[in-house]
Amino acid sequence: MFEQRLTEILNNLHKPTIETLRQALNQIHATYEDVAPYIQSSSDKPYYRKLLFHSDHVELLLMNWSGLDCAPHDHGHSFGWIQVMNGSVRNQLFSVQPGKLPEPFFEKHHSEGTVFFAPKQSVHQMEGQKDLLTLHLYAPPISGMKVYDLKKCAACVVSDDCGAWWPDEQRQQLKII
Ligand SMILES: [Fe+2]
């Protein structure tokens, strides 16, 4: 039922604008009960990442957080909307100057039920308690995501199946900067 609903809505999206992408997420109107069957947990990564839908134009991901902060990262050339399904999240935004490490400049809390925007090319880091659950709709599907390790002064372009953490598998490390 839920899968059918989101397939119908998301298959209609072709190069969506910021606004049409937001409307699609509203239209899906996912409830905790809808996504509950897809929740799994991860103990060694910031979240368990479940891909719910993927087309040439959009991707929908469910993230179940384990209580660890994700690494600062961008979303490649994609923008997206993030819906807080359970718990609340602190979203830290970073400014990026060419050739320099990102620096935190703004943070905001988002409570359960809210939806917030992730602009193209912005760098952010999300922190939430265990069982924080977030739903992410991105356009186009994220490719070439850059993850930062501020302690190591390093950045890494990661493979499309990797989340916002420093990849421990060699094949997920596409380019270290
Ligand atoms: Fe992100």
Side-chain angles (χ1 to χ4, degrees), residues 152-163:
K152 280 198 276 185
C153 295
C156 181
V157 178
V158 303
S159 61
D160 297 352
D161 64 337
C162 184

Side-chain angles (χ1 to χ4, degrees), residues 59-96:
E59 70 179 343
L60 184 69
L61 290 154
L62 181 69
M63 298 179 189
N64 185 37
W65 294 70
S66 48
L68 304 167
D69 303 346
C70 72
H73 62 281
D74 66 14
H75 297 134
H77 298 283
S78 305
F79 59 86
W81 291 95
I82 300 167
Q83 181 178 344
V84 185
M85 307 283 306
N86 188 55
S88 68
V89 63
R90 188 171 83 100
N91 187 35
Q92 176 103 47
L93 299 174
F94 292 77
S95 63
V96 198

Side-chain angles (χ1 to χ4, degrees), residues 29-163:
H29 194 72
T31 63
Y32 188 87
E33 287 66 37
D34 287 328
V35 298
Y38 306 95
I39 298 173
Q40 287 186 51
S41 49
S42 168
S43 54
D44 59 337
K45 298 281 190 291
Y47 48 82
Y48 178 82
R49 181 181 183 279
K50 171 72 185 170
L51 181 65
L52 297 178
F53 180 87
H54 186 280
S55 71
D56 288 346
H57 299 276
V58 294
E59 70 179 343
L60 184 69
L61 290 154
L62 181 69
M63 298 179 189
N64 185 37
W65 294 70
S66 48
L68 304 167
D69 303 346
C70 72
H73 62 281
D74 66 14
H75 297 134
H77 298 283
S78 305
F79 59 86
W81 291 95
I82 300 167
Q83 181 178 344
V84 185
M85 307 283 306
N86 188 55
S88 68
V89 63
R90 188 171 83 100
N91 187 35
Q92 176 103 47
L93 299 174
F94 292 77
S95 63
V96 198
Q97 308 288 337
K100 290 193 179 167
L101 281 175
E103 282 183 23
F105 79 97
F106 184 70
E107 67 166 64
K108 199 169 170 120
H109 278 90
H110 300 278
S111 52
E112 193 171 305
T114 56
V115 173
F116 62 97
F117 184 58
K120 213 182 264 191
Q121 255 132 33
S122 84
V123 171
H124 79 145
Q125 177 177 33
M126 290 169 63
E127 300 167 12
Q129 299 202 323
K130 193 177 174 323
D131 297 329
L132 164 68
L133 188 69
T134 50
L135 186 67
H136 303 238
L137 182 59
Y138 297 114
I142 294 180
S143 188
M145 177 166 87
K146 205 186 276 173
V147 172
Y148 293 89
D149 184 325
L150 300 181
K151 286 196 192 111
K152 280 198 276 185
C153 295
C156 181
V157 178
V158 303
S159 61
D160 297 352
D161 64 337
C162 184

